[in-house]
Each structure stands twice: as C-alpha cells, then as structure tokens.
Amino acid sequence: MSDIAYLDAAARTPIGLDYKRFSIDALDIRPQQTVLDLDCGPGTDLGRLTATGAVVTGMDADETMIREARRRYPEVEIVAGDAHDLPFGDGTFDRLRTDRVLQHVADPGRVMAEIRRVLRPDGLMVTAEPDWDTLTVADADEETSRAFCRFNAGRVRNHSMGRHLKRLAYAAGFEVRAVTPIPVAFEDFGVADTILGLSRNARLAVAEGVLEKEKAEEWLARLAREPFLGSFLFYVVTASRP
Ligand SMILES: C[S@@+](CC[C@H](N)C(=O)[O-])C[C@H]1O[C@@H](n2cnc3c(N)ncnc32)[C@H](O)[C@@H]1O
C-alpha cells in the first residue's frame, strides 16, 4: 500500500473522520481567515478546510504528496517546505493545523516555535498526534502482544508525541486552551491490520529477533480469527498565540 493510499484509508475510518472533524471544528475558522495546513499530505483535509470560506494554504515536505494535493485541489496554494523552517513571514496565518507530523520530525520543539512565529497574535493552532506507547492489543498471549506493541511504537521517531503536545506548546509560548485525549479502538482485524500494520510489523519484529516466528504466527492467526480489540490514545491540543 502506498503512503497516499494509507493516509486515505486512515482518513476514511470512523475514528479518522471523527477526530479530523473535531480538530477542524476546534480551529473555529471564520470566512476569509488565513489557514495553514502544515502537513497537508495528499490534500486529505483541504476540502473540509476550504469549505469554511477561509483562504487555505497547504504545505508538505514530500514532492509526491505535494503533487497529489495540487492534483486534487488545483485552486489551493500548496507550498513545498520543511516544518522546522517554515517558508512564511511572521504572523502570516490566523489558524494553523498539524495532523500527525510532529511524531515524525527531528525537532518537535523547533517546529512548535516556527508555528508560533507564523501565527498572528490571538491566532489558533490545533495539533493532533497519537501516543503509540498506549497501544494495546487484546490476546491470550500477553507477552507477544506487549512485545509487538513496544516494537511498533519504537518504529516511530517520536512515538509518544501525543502526551508531549501540551508541554511543547507551553515551551513555545502558547496558551493551551484544551487538551483532548481521544480513545481509539479498532474492533475489526482487517482495518487494524491496515492502519496499525499488525502483519507487516510482526514480520519485521520476527526478522529483528524481537518476536519468535512461531509465536508471532500463532498470535496473528488468533487475532484474525477471534473477536479483535486494539486501542490507543490520540491527543488533540488547541492553543492560542498570545
Ligand atoms: C502522517 S502524514 C499526515 C498527512 C495529513 N495531515 C493527513 O492527515 O493525511 C504526515 C505528513 O507530514 C509530512 N512531513 C513529514 N516531515 C515533514 C516536515 N519536516 N515538514 C513538513 N512536512 C513533513 C509527510 O510528508 C506527510 O505528508
């Protein structure tokens, strides 16, 4: 599955639809305001953002994402740029959102400081990130589940980013208005397999000697056969620039 297909699939899940709606509502966008979708990806949320009547700019660091976002939304300005060094002047935007980029960046504190810089006074930021350290998968073999979840989290650079958003926002000079932890539960093995990469990452964990092959195969077979439940916490933080 390509990165674009993955992002589209994640955005179509009920929880993807819910938290995205929530995080866009939290931006409290008024028509004509300037809004930056800082990690717009293939344009996942540009339709919903432009529907508010705002003047929306998308930005991403990845050329493939930018090409797709421009193809989907030719009317929106899509800029290539790095979140650590935003290609915009001070105080350019009324509203800014990020959605699962801070978990990947080299220096989240610097990105937060850049977000503050490009927002106008009284501007609002809404940022949404998972906390992969909270992932649990229900199975009789708890040892394999725990080892898998730790391995899975360890594959993401800033795997517990969700819980750090409030701290980072204050450190950058924001006033945090709301911290909303959202419990995410997958009850369908197929959906969880796509979004959490159960089979793919279990294979990698075996290859890296973290899981025993036989145990991992039995674990996956049981998860696919039995009633499934996997869950983790996702955080949405709303903050204003004084
Ligand atoms: C998990 S995707 C989320 C995309 C989109 N927000 C969505 O919800 O579908 C993270 C995005 O951040 C972009 N990205 C990663 N590092 C970046 C950086 N340093 N600056 C800007 N964008 C970055 C990736 O190219 C990718 O499109």
Side-chain angles (χ1 to χ4, degrees), residues 7 20 39-41 44-45 59-62 65 81-84 99-101 105:
L7 290 173
K20 280 178 176 295
D39 55 322
C40 68
T44 318
D45 301 306
M59 194 201 90
D60 205 280
D62 184 284
M65 295 293 176
D82 182 349
H84 296 88
D99 186 340
R100 292 169 297 147
V101 66
V105 302

Tab-separated table of all heavy atoms in Angstrom, residues 7 20 39-41 44-45 59-62 65 81-84 99-101 105, ligand 1:
chain	number	residue	atom	x	y	z
A	7	LEU	N	-2.822	6.973	3.900
A	7	LEU	CA	-3.419	8.172	4.508
A	7	LEU	C	-4.904	8.275	4.160
A	7	LEU	O	-5.725	8.644	5.004
A	7	LEU	CB	-2.672	9.424	4.047
A	7	LEU	CG	-1.247	9.568	4.597
A	7	LEU	CD1	-0.534	10.740	3.941
A	7	LEU	CD2	-1.247	9.727	6.113
A	20	LYS	N	-10.782	14.178	12.828
A	20	LYS	CA	-10.496	15.243	11.863
A	20	LYS	C	-11.595	16.314	11.928
A	20	LYS	O	-11.305	17.514	11.925
A	20	LYS	CB	-10.347	14.666	10.465
A	20	LYS	CG	-8.962	14.040	10.228
A	20	LYS	CD	-8.844	13.422	8.861
A	20	LYS	CE	-7.442	12.890	8.607
A	20	LYS	NZ	-6.414	13.943	8.565
A	39	ASP	N	0.991	20.054	7.324
A	39	ASP	CA	1.457	18.775	6.752
A	39	ASP	C	0.294	18.219	5.948
A	39	ASP	O	-0.292	17.209	6.302
A	39	ASP	CB	1.882	17.809	7.859
A	39	ASP	CG	0.792	17.580	8.897
A	39	ASP	OD1	0.087	18.563	9.234
A	39	ASP	OD2	0.619	16.443	9.367
A	40	CYS	N	0.000	18.882	4.828
A	40	CYS	CA	-1.268	18.602	4.130
A	40	CYS	C	-1.301	17.222	3.483
A	40	CYS	O	-2.361	16.750	3.089
A	40	CYS	CB	-1.562	19.687	3.111
A	40	CYS	SG	-0.422	19.718	1.718
A	41	GLY	N	-0.142	16.559	3.371
A	41	GLY	CA	-0.140	15.243	2.735
A	41	GLY	C	-0.716	15.337	1.329
A	41	GLY	O	-0.467	16.321	0.606
A	44	THR	N	-5.543	15.589	2.187
A	44	THR	CA	-6.584	14.871	2.937
A	44	THR	C	-7.681	15.799	3.468
A	44	THR	O	-8.861	15.471	3.391
A	44	THR	CB	-5.944	14.131	4.133
A	44	THR	OG1	-4.722	13.535	3.704
A	44	THR	CG2	-6.882	13.076	4.688
A	45	ASP	N	-7.288	16.952	4.025
A	45	ASP	CA	-8.269	17.794	4.715
A	45	ASP	C	-8.517	19.127	4.025
A	45	ASP	O	-9.214	19.982	4.564
A	45	ASP	CB	-7.795	18.027	6.159
A	45	ASP	CG	-7.645	16.714	6.896
A	45	ASP	OD1	-8.623	15.943	6.927
A	45	ASP	OD2	-6.540	16.420	7.396
A	59	MET	N	0.896	22.827	2.969
A	59	MET	CA	2.349	22.708	2.887
A	59	MET	C	2.744	21.278	3.212
A	59	MET	O	2.100	20.610	4.031
A	59	MET	CB	3.030	23.656	3.884
A	59	MET	CG	4.522	23.829	3.614
A	59	MET	SD	5.452	24.404	5.055
A	59	MET	CE	5.897	22.836	5.800
A	60	ASP	N	3.787	20.799	2.565
A	60	ASP	CA	4.313	19.476	2.896
A	60	ASP	C	5.772	19.433	2.433
A	60	ASP	O	6.189	20.237	1.581
A	60	ASP	CB	3.493	18.365	2.211
A	60	ASP	CG	3.575	17.037	2.969
A	60	ASP	OD1	4.591	16.324	2.809
A	60	ASP	OD2	2.644	16.725	3.728
A	61	ALA	N	6.512	18.486	2.994
A	61	ALA	CA	7.923	18.372	2.624
A	61	ALA	C	8.133	17.376	1.489
A	61	ALA	O	9.202	17.333	0.889
A	61	ALA	CB	8.737	17.928	3.851
A	62	ASP	N	7.101	16.587	1.198
A	62	ASP	CA	7.273	15.464	0.278
A	62	ASP	C	6.692	15.796	-1.108
A	62	ASP	O	5.505	16.135	-1.229
A	62	ASP	CB	6.562	14.243	0.888
A	62	ASP	CG	6.759	12.999	0.060
A	62	ASP	OD1	6.092	12.876	-1.001
A	62	ASP	OD2	7.559	12.148	0.467
A	65	MET	N	3.525	13.908	-2.226
A	65	MET	CA	2.324	14.411	-1.542
A	65	MET	C	1.882	15.735	-2.162
A	65	MET	O	0.694	15.954	-2.422
A	65	MET	CB	2.606	14.617	-0.043
A	65	MET	CG	2.912	13.356	0.717
A	65	MET	SD	1.471	12.277	0.812
A	65	MET	CE	2.183	10.863	1.631
A	81	GLY	N	7.839	22.767	1.723
A	81	GLY	CA	8.602	23.364	2.822
A	81	GLY	C	8.831	22.392	3.948
A	81	GLY	O	8.186	21.345	4.029
A	82	ASP	N	9.778	22.772	4.815
A	82	ASP	CA	10.117	21.952	5.974
A	82	ASP	C	9.540	22.617	7.219
A	82	ASP	O	9.743	23.821	7.430
A	82	ASP	CB	11.649	21.850	6.076
A	82	ASP	CG	12.094	20.975	7.236
A	82	ASP	OD1	11.250	20.605	8.086
A	82	ASP	OD2	13.289	20.666	7.303
A	83	ALA	N	8.866	21.822	8.029
A	83	ALA	CA	8.211	22.358	9.218
A	83	ALA	C	9.204	23.007	10.186
A	83	ALA	O	8.812	23.843	11.000
A	83	ALA	CB	7.456	21.234	9.928
A	84	HIS	N	10.487	22.638	10.108
A	84	HIS	CA	11.474	23.232	11.007
A	84	HIS	C	11.853	24.653	10.608
A	84	HIS	O	12.504	25.360	11.365
A	84	HIS	CB	12.771	22.397	11.014
A	84	HIS	CG	12.594	21.017	11.549
A	84	HIS	ND1	12.230	19.964	10.744
A	84	HIS	CD2	12.729	20.532	12.796
A	84	HIS	CE1	12.160	18.870	11.481
A	84	HIS	NE2	12.449	19.177	12.728
A	99	ASP	N	-1.377	17.553	11.711
A	99	ASP	CA	-2.078	16.280	11.917
A	99	ASP	C	-1.092	15.133	11.676
A	99	ASP	O	-0.829	14.764	10.537
A	99	ASP	CB	-3.254	16.231	10.931
A	99	ASP	CG	-4.155	15.027	11.139
A	99	ASP	OD1	-3.719	14.037	11.759
A	99	ASP	OD2	-5.299	15.078	10.652
A	100	ARG	N	-0.473	14.658	12.731
A	100	ARG	CA	0.428	13.509	12.731
A	100	ARG	C	1.766	13.774	12.025
A	100	ARG	O	2.323	12.879	11.406
A	100	ARG	CB	-0.272	12.269	12.118
A	100	ARG	CG	-1.401	11.755	12.984
A	100	ARG	CD	-2.215	10.732	12.258
A	100	ARG	NE	-2.843	11.300	11.108
A	100	ARG	CZ	-3.080	10.659	9.980
A	100	ARG	NH1	-2.735	9.402	9.838
A	100	ARG	NH2	-3.680	11.261	8.966
A	101	VAL	N	2.245	15.022	12.121
A	101	VAL	CA	3.591	15.261	11.571
A	101	VAL	C	4.636	15.334	12.687
A	101	VAL	O	5.765	14.883	12.521
A	101	VAL	CB	3.644	16.531	10.686
A	101	VAL	CG1	3.407	17.792	11.487
A	101	VAL	CG2	4.978	16.634	9.966
A	105	VAL	N	9.048	14.371	13.092
A	105	VAL	CA	10.094	15.370	12.824
A	105	VAL	C	11.290	15.212	13.761
A	105	VAL	O	11.185	14.673	14.860
A	105	VAL	CB	9.544	16.820	12.911
A	105	VAL	CG1	8.400	17.020	11.925
A	105	VAL	CG2	9.122	17.175	14.331
B	1	LIG	C1	1.037	11.093	8.706
B	1	LIG	S1	1.161	12.161	7.334
B	1	LIG	C2	-0.289	13.156	7.592
B	1	LIG	C3	-0.734	13.909	6.359
B	1	LIG	C4	-2.069	14.651	6.519
B	1	LIG	N1	-2.003	15.624	7.585
B	1	LIG	C5	-3.195	13.686	6.789
B	1	LIG	O1	-3.830	13.747	7.867
B	1	LIG	O2	-3.475	12.840	5.922
B	1	LIG	C6	2.489	13.240	7.750
B	1	LIG	C7	2.855	14.215	6.643
B	1	LIG	O3	3.891	15.059	7.128
B	1	LIG	C8	4.817	15.298	6.082
B	1	LIG	N2	6.096	15.656	6.700
B	1	LIG	C9	6.978	14.856	7.333
B	1	LIG	N3	8.018	15.560	7.803
B	1	LIG	C10	7.798	16.855	7.444
B	1	LIG	C11	8.500	18.083	7.642
B	1	LIG	N4	9.669	18.119	8.303
B	1	LIG	N5	7.954	19.208	7.157
B	1	LIG	C12	6.766	19.192	6.505
B	1	LIG	N6	6.039	18.069	6.289
B	1	LIG	C13	6.554	16.914	6.753
B	1	LIG	C14	4.840	13.987	5.312
B	1	LIG	O4	5.327	14.187	4.003
B	1	LIG	C15	3.378	13.567	5.366
B	1	LIG	O5	2.664	14.065	4.272
